[in-house]
Amino acid sequence: MQEHNRIGVIDIGSNSVHLVVAEYHDENDYFSVIDDAKVNVRLGEGMTRTGCLDPERIEVGIDTMKIYRRMIDAYQIGQVIATATAAVRKAKNGDEFVRRAKEEAGIDINVIPGEQEAMYDYLGVVNTIDIKDGLLMDIGGGSTELVLIQNREKKAGVSLPFGAVDLAEKFNLTDKPKKSDLEKLHVFLEGAFSQYPLLAEAKGYPVIGVGGTIRNMGRIHRRMIDYPLEIAQNYRMSRKDVKTVCEKTAAMDYQERKNIKGLSKARADIFIGASQAVMEIMGAIDSDQLIISKAGLRDGLLYESIGYGEGDLIPEVFEYSLVNTARQLDVNCIHAYQVYRISRKLFNELAPIHGLPLSRTLDKSLRTAAMLHDSGIKIQYSNHQLHSFYLILNAGINGLTHEEMLIAAFSALNHRTGKKVQVDAEYARMLTKQDLNIIDVFSSILQIAEYLDRDMDGVVRDVNCVISDDAVTLNVLSQEHSVFTDMILDECGKKFNRVFKHTLNLENEIVK
C-alpha cells in the first residue's frame, strides 16, 4: 500500500485564517491539496487605533484554531506548519494569541517577519506560474509585500507595514469614499512606494498579484465581461481593466459593494484602498498587465516543506504540474507519452500542409491534450472525452494560459470524432479562427496517434509522412503488425481529408 504523508499549513493573516491540507506521495514525488478551509477572523481589525488585537477577534481566532485542531486530528496530519503574519507580528499583545493557540489548541505558531512572508509568496508564485520576470505584490490585511523577480530569481523583497484593513481605516474607505480621501490615499501610496529602488528595476514588468483583494479584482472583472472560465490562477488583466474595476467599486457605498458580482461580502469594506494600491503600483512601474496568482504564502510553505525552496525551485512548472495531474487522475502515463511522441512527430511531418510552427505555446497545448486525452476514464469510460474536456479545464494545471488550456481541452474533446469543431457560444470569443484550426489539426493527429498505440504496448517505433499534391502516405515503423493500424484509414481518413485537404494512405513496415 502506498504511503501518504499529510501536511497541514495554517496561515494566520490580518483578515483571514486558512488551513490547507495536502497529501504528499513520496514514491512519485507529487502532492495534492485535499482540503482548504478559511475563516474571516479579522484579527487586524481596529489595530490602527489601539495597536492591539481586539479581545473579541482573539476569541474568534482561538475558536478557529480549535476547529483546525480537530480537522488536523481527523485527517491524521503528521506535519503542521502554522505561521502568523502582519496582525500578530505588529500587535502589542500578539504573544497572547500565540500562547493561547498553543495552550488551548495545541498549535505552535511561528510569527514570521515581513521579509520572510515575501519570500514564501515568491516561492508560491514562481513554483506555479511560468514566468521569468515580474513584480510580485501581495496586499494582505495588515501588510504589503513586494518582490522583484528576474529570471525566476528573487532579486529583492520588501514588506510595507500597511494592508487592506489599515488603508480602509486610515483613509475612511469602508463606505463610499470621498474624493478628498481618495486623493490623500494616493498621495500616501505614491510616497510609500517611491522609497523602494526595486520599483525602478521593475519598469515595464507585469505585476503578479497575490492575496484575496487581487483575486476578487479578477473575479469582478470576469463577471463584468461574462468570462466563461471560473479560473483565478493566471487570469490576466490590463491596466485599463484594473482601472475600470477600481473606478466602479470606488463609486459605490458599502451596501452596493456587498452586492457587486465577484466581490466577497466579507471584503466589501476593505476593498477600495487595497484595489487602489494595485492600480498605483501598476502606474509606478508603468506595467500594463496584472497576472493573478492563486498561490501565495501557504503554497510557498508547502513547496518548501517538500523540497522546493529558494535555490531549489521546480525546474519546469508546466511539466511538473502536468505529470502531477496525470498521476492524480490515474492516467496510463506510458501510453499517454507515446501518444504525445507520435502526435508531435506527425505535427512536424505535416507542417508543409498545415503551416503551423510548433511554438512552445502550441507544444504545451498539444502535450496537455495528449497526456490527458484519456483522463475522463477516471469518471466513466463511455464518452470519456467529454469528461477529459472538463478535467483539463478544472484540474488546475500550472504553467498554462487560459487560452492554451482551452485549446488542449477542445483537442482532447474532439479526438474521437470526425465532425468539425463545435465551440459553445460562451467559449467562442476566447478562440480565434486560427485557434479552431489548431484544435482541428491537434484532434486529427491525436486520433491517429491513439490508434497507433491502441495496443498500449509501444510497438510503433517511428512514423514519417510522404506528402504529394493531393495525398499523404503515412509510413509506420513498428515491431509487429496491429489490427488497429488497419483501422486508421476507416476511422481517421475522412477527418484527415477534411482538415488537411489530402487523402490519407498508410504503409506499415515491420522492423526489429
Side-chain angles (χ1 to χ4, degrees):
M1 182 177 178
Q2 190 177 27
E3 290 295 323
H4 300 320
N5 299 320
R6 287 177 178 164
I7 303 168
V9 175
I10 300 175
D11 173 13
I12 303 162
S14 303
N15 187 49
S16 57
V17 178
H18 283 255
L19 166 65
V20 173
V21 181
E23 198 163 69
Y24 177 61
H25 306 246
D26 292 286
E27 182 182 335
N28 293 320
D29 188 33
Y30 76 92
F31 74 91
S32 55
V33 173
I34 59 175
D35 205 344
D36 186 351
K38 170 189 171 185
V39 179
N40 290 310
V41 174
R42 289 287 181 93
L43 274 176
E45 195 171 82
M47 275 187 58
T48 54
R49 296 187 303 273
T50 67
C52 294
L53 301 178
D54 181 83
E56 289 187 9
R57 297 295 92 200
I58 289 178
E59 292 304 321
V60 176
I62 295 302
D63 287 344
T64 301
M65 291 295 103
K66 291 175 180 177
I67 292 171
Y68 287 173
R69 175 78 263 174
R70 293 197 291 272
M71 292 177 68
I72 287 165
D73 293 341
Y75 276 117
Q76 299 180 317
I77 295 172
Q79 180 184 5
V80 178
I81 304 168
T83 61
T85 53
V88 178
R89 181 170 68 231
K90 295 192 296 186
K92 298 173 185 176
N93 59 344
D95 289 346
E96 177 189 346
F97 181 81
V98 174
R99 175 184 56 78
R100 287 189 58 188
K102 171 66 174 174
E103 292 176 355
E104 299 178 37
I107 294 175
D108 288 305
I109 297 173
N110 180 27
V111 183
I112 62 174
E115 292 71 19
Q116 194 172 2
E117 185 177 353
M119 189 272 289
Y120 284 125
D121 281 332
Y122 157 73
L123 289 179
V125 164
V126 82
N127 280 317
T128 58
I129 289 183
D130 189 6
I131 191 167
K132 288 186 175 182
D133 305 315
L135 179 70
L136 185 155
M137 181 185 195
D138 177 6
I139 182 158
S143 68
T144 299
E145 281 65 49
L146 299 173
V147 179
L148 176 66
I149 301 172
Q150 292 179 333
N151 199 26
R152 298 191 74 209
E153 294 182 9
K154 180 172 73 67
K155 292 298 184 180
V158 295
S159 180
L160 286 67
F162 60 83
V165 176
D166 304 293
L167 294 175
E169 294 179 353
K170 183 178 177 69
F171 295 99
N172 305 309
L173 305 174
T174 55
D175 207 341
K176 186 174 182 177
K178 297 177 182 177
K179 183 179 179 181
S180 59
D181 287 327
L182 285 174
E183 289 172 350
K184 290 175 185 176
L185 168 70
H186 282 283
V187 169
F188 169 79
L189 291 171
E190 185 178 358
F193 294 146
S194 66
Q195 300 175 42
Y196 299 98
L198 64 83
L199 295 187
E201 294 188 57
K203 288 291 183 182
Y205 283 177
V207 172
I208 306 167
V210 173
T213 290
I214 296 176
R215 289 195 299 273
N216 271 250
M217 291 176 73
R219 193 157 61 235
I220 291 169
H221 186 251
R222 290 196 296 275
R223 298 292 192 277
M224 286 172 61
I225 65 172
D226 198 24
Y227 193 73
L229 302 177
E230 191 46 61
I231 302 172
Q233 178 75 349
N234 216 1
Y235 184 69
R236 304 185 176 206
M237 297 171 63
S238 68
R239 198 193 316 182
K240 182 180 178 182
D241 296 332
V242 170
K243 184 179 179 183
T244 299
V245 170
C246 287
E247 290 179 346
K248 178 177 181 176
T249 52
M252 297 177 172
D253 61 28
Y254 171 62
Q255 290 299 327
E256 289 172 324
R257 286 199 302 275
K258 283 178 69 176
N259 293 318
I260 189 171
K261 292 180 180 180
L263 179 59
S264 165
K265 287 181 171 58
R267 200 172 289 275
D269 59 337
I270 61 170
F271 181 78
I272 297 299
S275 60
Q276 296 279 326
V278 177
M279 184 168 65
E280 183 73 32
I281 206 77
M282 292 185 76
I285 68 169
D286 194 25
S287 173
D288 193 46
Q289 189 174 58
L290 173 67
I291 302 174
I292 297 174
S293 171
K294 192 176 180 182
L297 181 141
R298 294 180 296 280
D299 306 86
L301 287 164
L302 178 59
Y303 280 111
E304 184 185 63
S305 73
I306 62 174
Y308 294 111
E310 194 169 9
D312 293 297
L313 304 175
I314 291 172
E316 293 287 342
V317 169
F318 164 67
E319 180 67 16
Y320 177 85
S321 184
L322 179 61
V323 173
N324 193 357
T325 300
R327 286 168 171 166
Q328 288 182 51
L329 296 174
D330 292 332
V331 166
N332 182 333
C333 289
I334 295 174
H335 167 63
Y337 185 77
Q338 174 76 336
V339 169
Y340 166 68
R341 186 181 69 82
I342 296 171
S343 296
R344 197 175 193 277
K345 183 66 184 296
L346 286 173
F347 185 92
N348 288 328
E349 290 279 307
L350 294 168
I353 54 176
H354 63 60
L356 299 167
L358 191 59
S359 63
R360 184 167 184 266
T361 290
L362 281 187
D363 189 47
K364 288 198 293 183
S365 293
L366 178 59
R367 188 172 177 86
T368 301
M371 292 296 291
L372 300 180
H373 72 280
D374 277 343
S375 59
I377 294 172
K378 179 79 172 178
I379 298 173
Q380 185 186 43
Y381 180 81
S382 179
N383 290 322
H384 65 267
Q385 67 274 14
L386 301 174
H387 305 306
S388 297
F389 172 82
Y390 174 85
L391 288 172
I392 290 171
L393 286 185
N394 293 277
I397 304 166
N398 294 321
L400 289 175
T401 66
H402 292 191
E403 290 77 13
E404 290 166 349
M405 200 178 299
L406 204 56
I407 287 172
F410 271 111
S411 297
L413 174 65
N414 285 275
H415 85 279
R416 282 190 160 235
T417 177
K419 296 179 181 178
K420 191 171 183 178
V421 175
Q422 298 295 316
V423 177
D424 294 342
E426 59 180 327
Y427 300 116
R429 54 196 169 83
M430 285 188 66
L431 296 171
T432 65
K433 186 175 181 180
Q434 185 181 39
D435 291 334
L436 296 179
N437 180 43
I438 291 166
I439 293 167
D440 244 348
V441 170
F442 280 1
S443 61
S444 179
I445 62 178
L446 277 172
Q447 186 180 35
I448 295 170
E450 185 176 42
Y451 269 105
L452 289 175
D453 196 54
R454 194 67 182 87
D455 315 58
M456 297 191 180
D457 55 3
V459 298
V460 173
R461 292 285 189 86
D462 199 5
V463 294
N464 59 74
C465 299
V466 177
I467 304 171
S468 64
D469 290 341
D470 58 359
V472 172
T473 300
L474 174 60
N475 295 310
V476 179
L477 282 68
S478 59
Q479 292 173 280
E480 58 186 70
H481 184 77
S482 169
V483 293
F484 293 111
T485 305
D486 297 335
M487 297 169 62
I488 288 176
L489 296 182
D490 290 336
E491 300 297 329
C492 310
K494 187 176 180 180
K495 180 173 184 175
F496 185 93
N497 182 262
R498 177 180 63 77
V499 173
F500 296 102
K501 306 297 187 293
H502 281 63
T503 302
L504 179 64
N505 300 316
L506 188 144
E507 293 183 3
N508 188 190
E509 180 182 349
I510 308 301
V511 293
K512 298 298 181 182

